[in-house]
Amino acid sequence: EATGWYTVDYSKAEVHGWGKDAGCGFQNDKCNTVSGGLGTYFCNDANAKSCTWDSKAVGQCSVLTYSADLPTYFQYFSNPKLGGQTFIDKCPEVVGYSNRQCTATDVTRTQTDDVYAFYYGTNGRCVETNPVLTDTRYVQQGSTQRCLQFQCPCPGTRLQFKVMSSGWMDCPTDGTAGD
């Protein structure tokens, strides 16, 4: 803008959370290290389901197979042909399923969505959940990801999620699963 060649429309500005507060390692280290974003922004297990980095969708780690060996700097696996998308240094990331976009408002609900109390809408977010018994016929084993409804009743003080008809529950501030 200072050059006079363009003008910025600041009314279109958005908060960009990618890498926010991730530290220097996010910029300087390889993405297959925790300091480089592994587990938050990047993944390394093609079979793993998870939430996307922004918690807006349930997805799967996108590990691609290339026809030739990747350059050494972009190799994160023992197989030099495996990696992620080109525009992020071939780092694998969780890509949201088209039918598990938590913030979508035009979702056609399925029986599975109803059984496991998925919520879709502008206040939907993906969360990691513990095993759930929803009725005597349905048991979900191990941890899984679900889209749940959230709210911030007192902005900046707490976050709440709603699970089925249980009402609003506070998220513990210490990061534990709560009661």
Side-chain angles (χ1 to χ4, degrees), residues 54-135:
D54 59 0
S55 299
K56 291 187 177 180
V58 177
Q60 186 166 354
C61 184
S62 178
V63 178
L64 308 173
T65 302
Y66 289 87
S67 58
D69 289 359
L70 298 175
T72 305
Y73 185 77
F74 299 132
Q75 292 178 12
Y76 310 109
F77 299 94
S78 57
N79 179 343
K81 289 179 171 55
L82 296 180
Q85 297 179 37
T86 300
F87 65 93
I88 51 174
D89 291 347
K90 305 251 192 278
C91 294
E93 65 176 335
V94 175
V95 175
Y97 296 125
S98 61
N99 64 340
R100 291 288 185 261
Q101 299 291 318
C102 301
T103 57
T105 56
D106 59 348
V107 173
T108 302
R109 295 185 62 78
T110 65
Q111 182 180 10
T112 301
D113 292 337
D114 293 335
V115 168
Y116 294 113
F118 274 74
Y119 171 86
Y120 300 102
T122 55
N123 290 339
R125 292 295 182 271
C126 179
V127 293
E128 191 85 24
T129 62
N130 295 325
V132 174
L133 174 64
T134 56
D135 74 24

Side-chain angles (χ1 to χ4, degrees), residues 123 149-152 160-163 165-170:
N123 290 339
Q149 187 176 10
F150 84 101
Q151 70 176 2
C152 297
Q160 293 181 319
F161 283 93
K162 189 173 190 178
V163 181
S165 60
S166 64
W168 292 99
M169 297 184 293
D170 287 344

